Amino acid sequence: VQAVFRSNLSHLLDLMGSGKESLIFMKKRTKRLTAQWALAAQRLAQKLGATRRDQKQILVHIGFLTEESGDVFSPRVLKGGPLGEMVQWADILAALYVLGHGLRVTVSLKELQSNLGVPPGRGSCPLTMPLPFDLIYTDYHGLQQMKQHMGLSFKKYRCRIRVIDTFGTEPAYNHEEYATLHGYRTNWGYWNLNPKQFMTMFPHTPDNSFMGFVSEELNETEKQLIKGGKASNMAVVYGKEASIWKGKEKFLGILNKYMEIHGTVYYESQRPPEVPAFVKNHGLLPQPEFQQLLRKAKLFIGFGFPYEGPAPLEAIANGCIFLQSRFSPPHSSLNHEFFRGKPTSREVFSQHPYAENFIGKPHVWTVDYNNSEEFEAAIKAIMRTQVDPYLPYEYTCEGMLERIHAYIQHQDFCIAPGPALPGAHTPQSPFVLAPNATHLEWARNASLAPAAWPPARSLRAWLAAPGKACTDTCLDHGLICEPSFFPFLNSQDAFLKLQVPCDSTESEMNHLYPAFAQPGQECYLQKEPLLFSCAGSNSKYRRLCPCRDFRKGQVALCQGCL
Ligand code: UDP
């Protein structure tokens, strides 16, 4: 069956159920964004033309909202608790629905069981039963529940699962045996999924799929109106919880010399003691009123927490400049409580790395807050700087629809992955050394062009500098690491073509392989396909990195990827 774009979301609102504050928040958001989704669907339909889109049957099981996993979020929706997850789930549901797929939504174990055909009361169904869904979107909590309640069929069907995972899961943490042996400990378990089955809120590491969310878009008239109506001395502080203001008196004092400071901190009856009297605190605002506040403000300022939420993108989309602190040393699961136990070693160099690296100046200023002069100078410079509202394409409704469409049509983790070592499968290696002898390219005349996605012709392979990760190596060349290309490089032949002088070649399980170790001139190949990883580095190794191009503003997709 062909999928047909939908522009009326009222049936989706019914599917989402009711009762919980979290669902109420999500439904309000979906309703408010209906017109934007409809317009985006129209545009994407035009862009795709006659491209065939199969309709999938999709189950969305939002594990963290189930009572069985404690549902700690719903009671905090009106109290300044995290809303980013709910923003993202609301947008995922909207995107899947607008794309025209068959949708079921569950937020309790009972509903999950009835949709999976497990009789309620029975712990799990021991028999392998047919699964009525092509795809299941869930989170780590939901994954655990499915494992407990699907019996044997969990193993059979887990390739259909997509895990919404805000901060991402690196391959070294995903592979049970490897993680256990090498101390990649997590609170979230080891699932041996294809790392691309984990879908993140921002494009952290290309080892995972970037899911994202949307921010409200402005038309030209609105943009002009906003630019005219900005109060050049108005600042809004990022953060809904009072705790983020603790110990920030010095910065607030400096900022207060130049600007009127506004906050949206939740409070019960009186002003939270952490928020100084000179701050205009509006209390936690409904989302549309928060947007209105951002439209008037010049500056949106972060004090280090929360990490990587939607609000800075909304601020920038509404014409604010975002000022945030640089973290030096960077925060990570090794040194910060918040990230401890999360399945990633990613180092976070500022409160919002996406804003810093993908947007940057003039919209985003990342400065060292320990240096009061630098901080003060930034505020003064920001007050003089004019910016236009800006929203990266990948965070528009159209961008999100385009990306999810591409994933649904092209990502298939149920076909067995190729072997880590190509061996007999690549009688002739399909790439050649580029004319400037810096990297490998797909050979123009190579007959071997697998039907894989993304298309292998966009492969560019580089030997990283010692101690560099493939994520960074590719970015340094204006490209993005593409883990699905690793198998093409995992051969002696690749080293040979790159003129790497291997004295010997060994094949082992290591998330940094394929790589070349300078001392000893040894070349290492990857033995375990699940461990191919863009993330990760060690000064001992020069990694062999598969990169590809990407579209400006849509980093998940290569030029020929739709
Ligand atoms: N938000 C809101 N009212 C406010 C402040 C923020 O509704 O007073 C919304 C905001 O529009 C954003 C969401 O809260 O979409 C999550 O924002 P944040 O970046 O703070 O991430 P979180 O830590 O909540 O996940």
Side-chain angles (χ1 to χ4, degrees), residues 73-92:
F73 277 45
S74 297
R76 294 177 63 203
V77 167
L78 298 176
K79 300 191 172 185
L83 298 176
E85 272 83 357
M86 275 155 248
V87 166
Q88 191 183 26
W89 279 107
D91 295 349
I92 292 169

Side-chain angles (χ1 to χ4, degrees), residues 105-182:
V105 187
T106 58
V107 290
S108 75
L109 192 54
K110 216 168 108 194
E111 295 167 300
L112 173 68
Q113 287 174 319
S114 94
N115 275 287
L116 293 177
V118 180
R122 292 258 305 272
S124 77
C125 183
L127 297 172
T128 325
M129 58 220 165
L131 182 70
F133 299 103
D134 304 302
L135 282 167
I136 301 178
Y137 290 80
T138 189
D139 53 17
Y140 265 113
H141 297 283
L143 198 57
Q144 186 64 45
Q145 292 170 349
M146 281 180 221
K147 187 180 170 181
Q148 266 164 13
H149 298 279
M150 278 170 83
L152 282 180
S153 53
F154 180 77
K155 254 212 159 78
K156 179 167 173 199
Y157 292 124
R158 60 188 198 155
C159 57
R160 300 192 191 176
I161 296 176
R162 307 291 181 268
V163 185
I164 305 302
D165 169 18
T166 308
F167 296 96
T169 296
E170 291 176 359
Y173 293 80
N174 168 59
H175 189 271
E176 181 163 18
E177 183 191 341
Y178 186 74
T180 314
L181 278 173
H182 297 90

Side-chain angles (χ1 to χ4, degrees), residues 25 29 81-85 87 201 238-240 264 283-287 290-291 306-307 309-312 314:
F25 175 89
R29 175 176 177 81
L83 298 176
E85 272 83 357
V87 166
M201 189 128 171
Y238 181 15
K240 307 182 271 339
T264 60
L284 183 68
L285 292 175
Q287 234 183 357
F290 178 63
Q291 308 279 340
Y307 297 106
E314 294 166 1

Side-chain angles (χ1 to χ4, degrees), residues 504-508 513 522-526:
S504 65
T505 307
E506 269 181 68
S507 144
E508 284 171 18
Y513 295 170
E522 214 160 341
C523 290
Y524 293 100
L525 302 180
Q526 178 63 262

Side-chain angles (χ1 to χ4, degrees), residues 296-313:
K296 280 184 265 158
K298 174 75 186 172
L299 172 67
F300 190 60
I301 180 167
F303 285 125
F305 196 84
Y307 297 106
E308 310 186 299
L313 289 190

